Amino acid sequence: MSIAELPLADTASSDGLDAVRAWVDDIAALAQPQEIVWCDGSLAEADRLTKQLVAEGKLIRLNPEWRPNSFLARTDPGDVARVEDRTFICSEDETDAGPTNNWREPAAMRAELRDVFAGSMRGRTMYVVPFSMGPVGGPISQVGIQLTDSAYVAVSLGMMTRVTGRVLELIAAGRPWVPTVHSVGFPLIDAQGIARDDVPWPCSPTKYIVQFPETREVWSYGSGYGGNAILAKKCFALRIASVMARDEGWLAEHMLIIKVTSPEGRVFHMAAAFPSACGKTNLAMLEPSIPGWKVETIGDDIAWLRQGPDGRLRAINPEAGFFGVAPGTGESTNRTAVNTLWGNTIFTNVALRDDGDVWWEGLTDEPPAHLVDWEGNDWTPDSGRPAAHPNSRFTVSAAQCPSIADDWDAFDGVPIDAILFGGRRATNVPLVAQARDWRHGVFIGATVSSEKTAAAEGVVGELRRDPFAMLPFCGYNMADHWAHWLEVGEKLGTNAPAVFQVNWFRKGADGRFLWPGFSENARVVEWIARRVEGSADSVDTPIGRLPVVDELDLDGLDLPSADVDALFEVDADSWLAECDLTEEFFGRFGGRVPAALRAELASLRYHLRA
């Protein structure tokens, strides 16, 4: 597909396409690809590209009997995860990037990038991939184009976004678009014209993942992996989109979205921000343990939220697929995720079974007797090393998920009733608490943390702060992000969703988890839903509103009363110590911390001492 082949309704309205042409020509002149291919997102195109990747040795086709139309990719051992120390926010003013981002001066970075991109695609094909984040043309959706010299990335974009020529039609009609540029940094022909053989996973040891907030651009070089290379994901959908959202009055957040239906048939939509390893995917695909309740998936990773015409906060999942961590995903922990992966899936850095299927730690209780590990070496249970890389992944269409909600791609988004924040806390934070109001909820989101090590009872351990679960993903100063949330709350007024904090990971004095978690988390979701509809009471404490324990459905859990008490204990001394840590954390942001959050901290201290 080319721009010239598009059936444009109004060919006179093509200034946007002229800009696209000029940009593609500029990058092509710089990177010098052998060929340019315009992608259309069709099944035929995906079939052609996967066959090409298999022929080149870059994908292994899995046994179609067990895993139809599915593939295994093995990356270079040096290209297995996001590269945070090489991720840059190049805002015009360094203070706009804030203390939690790596900043570089934009002009200097552009010069560096043009140096490494010069000739980086020699001998390769440059794919032009137009994509929509969210339903095409929707009021909360955005569009972009990625240039990449990786067919693996082009195929992955087709699963993770809505790749379609209709995006170019929208651009022709004047829709703003985000340009993103990617190269693996492994040209097949050098500057002297000398050719070299390709490798199964081309990449460069030198890596850049660069966001230019003011001009809404992303440049990525050297990596072919995940969020470093699939630029619609964290780079666009969070780092760039968060800046767009700040400037335009909406929110781009690292949040799952679920649809909850009560036994009475009432529907609730909830968004939740959890840092990694805090049960995010499990909540997104929750199978409730309590009768009559139903939880369906709308999104597992990113939410874009905007006030709708009715005044309520509405949300979309801007992605069209899941890019999930494989290890730990199994029949006992997340059966829904496992069932999503029946076919049409790309697995990256998992192990290969002798029968041509895949395996990873946690998929089954017992490992197979023999595997080929993620690096292509023989493996047995006695090998003393993981068979799958700890950050191995699956890429699959969200539409395949058995728990996907019928409104998961609603054109106008879904109305959000509640927002949840959670970290991994062995101490202090109760199982669930409701914020007193939106401002208190923003304070909770800003102070989300996990303990780095197991803490002794009543002692606050070293905290790893991850405000709003956005630490690696906010495209501007984190303190300004908190201020933006406060402004959004003011506009929402009485239409603002209720805000809650949850913690599935509190431990007893003996070090064991007090709460069973997983499907039993539905009991907490039930209380949140009942609070939203006004049918459950609460108890006021200095840290928020806790459940009346008798109203929490604990039937069949056999939880000792001492454990229940411990799940909701609020120890004033430990919380006062945490207040000191919060003040120290706020100190990193200087005068940019909103006065309202400092007032919340002062109020918390006052009530703890009362």
Side-chain angles (χ1 to χ4, degrees):
M1 181 192 71
S2 70
I3 287 181
E5 295 168 336
L6 273 175
L8 297 180
D10 181 7
T11 53
S13 177
S14 60
D15 288 351
L17 293 187
D18 288 342
V20 171
R21 289 188 189 95
W23 172 66
V24 171
D25 289 345
D26 177 58
I27 301 302
L30 174 66
Q32 301 171 34
Q34 181 174 296
E35 183 184 6
I36 300 175
V37 170
W38 292 75
C39 295
D40 60 13
S42 65
L43 290 175
E45 178 178 81
D47 183 60
R48 176 177 59 80
L49 290 177
T50 52
K51 286 177 177 174
Q52 171 189 318
L53 287 162
V54 169
E56 293 172 348
K58 294 174 181 175
L59 287 181
I60 298 169
R61 187 180 293 276
L62 300 176
N63 186 334
E65 182 179 351
W66 303 114
R67 206 75 64 162
N69 194 39
S70 297
F71 306 89
L72 169 63
R74 294 182 180 134
T75 75
D76 184 282
D79 192 22
V80 294
R82 279 187 294 108
V83 188
E84 291 189 16
D85 64 334
R86 297 297 299 168
T87 300
F88 302 96
I89 301 295
C90 295
S91 52
E92 294 295 336
D93 187 332
E94 182 176 1
T95 58
D96 285 342
T100 59
N101 282 317
N102 298 319
W103 178 83
R104 292 283 292 277
E105 196 278 323
M109 179 57 83
R110 287 186 186 279
E112 259 183 73
L113 288 171
R114 293 194 77 87
D115 281 347
V116 296
F117 269 88
S120 66
M121 297 185 188
R122 288 193 196 102
R124 296 196 178 278
T125 297
M126 182 173 81
Y127 299 94
V128 184
V129 189
F131 61 88
S132 175
M133 303 301 289
V136 181
I140 311 178
S141 303
Q142 303 287 341
V143 299
I145 301 176
Q146 178 162 343
L147 308 183
T148 179
D149 56 5
S150 166
Y152 167 90
V153 168
V155 171
S156 298
L157 277 166
M159 302 169 79
M160 291 302 301
T161 71
R162 294 157 175 87
V163 174
T164 169
R166 290 177 58 204
V167 167
L168 297 177
E169 295 182 37
L170 288 171
I171 293 171
R175 178 70 68 100
W177 57 284
V178 172
T180 70
V181 187
H182 167 252
S183 173
V184 295
F186 194 96
L188 297 178
I189 302 172
D190 68 15
Q192 287 71 47
I194 299 172
R196 63 171 166 176
D197 292 335
D198 206 352
V199 295
W201 189 268
C203 63
S204 167
T206 302
K207 293 175 173 53
Y208 293 85
I209 300 93
V210 184
Q211 286 78 198
F212 294 95
E214 283 87 1
T215 53
R216 317 289 203 239
E217 294 173 78
V218 182
W219 290 65
S220 175
Y221 175 88
S223 171
Y225 172 85
N228 301 332
I230 305 170
L231 303 184
K233 195 163 177 59
K234 306 297 191 187
C235 296
F236 177 1
L238 288 178
R239 297 191 191 102
I240 292 297
S242 64
V243 177
M244 297 168 70
R246 175 199 64 189
D247 295 347
E248 299 169 10
W250 49 285
L251 298 166
E253 299 298 323
H254 188 209
M255 288 180 167
L256 64 89
I257 311 170
I258 54 175
K259 178 181 182 178
V260 179
T261 306
S262 73
E264 300 80 29
R266 177 164 178 181
V267 171
F268 307 84
H269 292 95
M270 303 179 186
F274 295 164
S276 60
C278 293
K280 189 177 183 188
T281 304
N282 289 332
L283 181 58
M285 301 179 183
L286 183 70
E287 294 186 57
S289 61
I290 48 179
W293 287 84
K294 184 178 181 182
V295 175
E296 297 170 281
T297 310
I298 290 179
D300 76 324
D301 194 42
I302 298 173
W304 287 356
L305 309 100
R306 187 190 290 268
Q307 190 172 22
D310 60 355
R312 297 188 64 189
L313 192 64
R314 304 187 75 88
I316 63 167
N317 166 17
E319 299 186 294
F322 303 138
F323 181 67
V325 176
T329 301
E331 287 286 344
S332 60
T333 58
N334 194 332
R335 183 173 56 188
T336 302
V338 172
N339 290 340
T340 303
L341 309 176
W342 61 265
N344 307 312
T345 304
I346 296 177
F347 298 92
T348 303
N349 289 342
V350 301
L352 183 64
R353 290 172 26 153
D354 292 345
D355 63 1
D357 198 5
V358 290
W359 189 87
W360 53 82
E361 280 70 17
L363 178 61
T364 59
D365 292 337
E366 295 295 326
H370 176 266
L371 295 165
V372 177
D373 73 10
W374 71 277
E375 293 188 89
N377 302 312
D378 285 320
W379 183 94
T380 70
D382 298 326
S383 294
R385 66 181 189 278
H389 188 275
N391 196 41
S392 57
R393 296 281 178 155
F394 54 79
T395 307
V396 66
S397 169
Q400 266 187 212
C401 180
S403 66
I404 202 74
D406 57 3
D407 56 355
W408 82 273
D409 60 350
F411 192 72
D412 298 320
V414 296
I416 297 298
D417 298 287
I419 292 173
L420 285 58
F421 294 108
R424 194 179 186 97
R425 296 297 306 271
T427 65
N428 276 23
V429 178
L431 177 63
V432 60
Q434 182 179 2
R436 289 182 295 275
D437 51 31
W438 182 269
R439 190 173 85 165
H440 183 218
V442 175
F443 175 79
I444 289 172
T447 55
V448 165
S449 58
S450 297
E451 276 145 331
K452 292 184 179 179
T453 56
E457 184 183 19
V459 178
V460 178
E462 186 180 2
L463 298 182
R464 177 173 55 84
R465 299 283 181 175
D466 193 353
F468 286 81
M470 283 284 282
L471 191 66
F473 308 124
C474 189
Y476 61 104
N477 191 301
M478 187 65 76
D480 294 349
H481 178 251
W482 307 336
H484 178 56
W485 266 77
L486 292 169
E487 291 170 3
V488 168
E490 287 182 13
K491 292 177 183 174
L492 290 169
T494 57
N495 288 310
V499 180
F500 298 82
Q501 183 170 24
V502 298
N503 175 31
W504 322 127
F505 304 99
R506 191 150 180 176
K507 292 183 177 180
D510 55 3
R512 63 186 171 81
F513 289 114
L514 297 172
W515 181 249
F518 299 109
S519 63
E520 304 299 352
N521 294 339
R523 300 168 188 270
V524 173
V525 171
E526 177 189 23
W527 183 76
I528 290 170
R530 296 306 188 196
R531 285 294 296 165
V532 168
E533 71 179 13
S535 62
D537 289 327
S538 66
V539 178
D540 281 333
T541 75
I543 66 163
R545 295 172 177 148
L546 302 187
V548 175
V549 172
D550 289 345
E551 293 184 358
L552 199 63
D553 183 356
L554 302 178
D555 289 350
L557 281 187
D558 270 344
L559 282 183
S561 59
D563 284 6
V564 175
D565 291 343
L567 279 168
F568 294 103
E569 181 188 13
V570 179
D571 182 82
D573 290 339
S574 293
W575 270 98
L576 284 167
E578 184 153 331
C579 288
D580 293 340
L581 296 175
T582 297
E583 185 167 21
E584 182 182 327
F585 175 63
F586 281 176
R588 294 185 62 190
F589 301 91
R592 293 180 92 118
V593 175
L597 296 195
R598 293 195 180 276
E600 285 292 334
L601 178 58
S603 173
L604 176 58
R605 277 184 168 135
Y606 173 82
H607 287 99
L608 287 167
R609 288 169 176 154

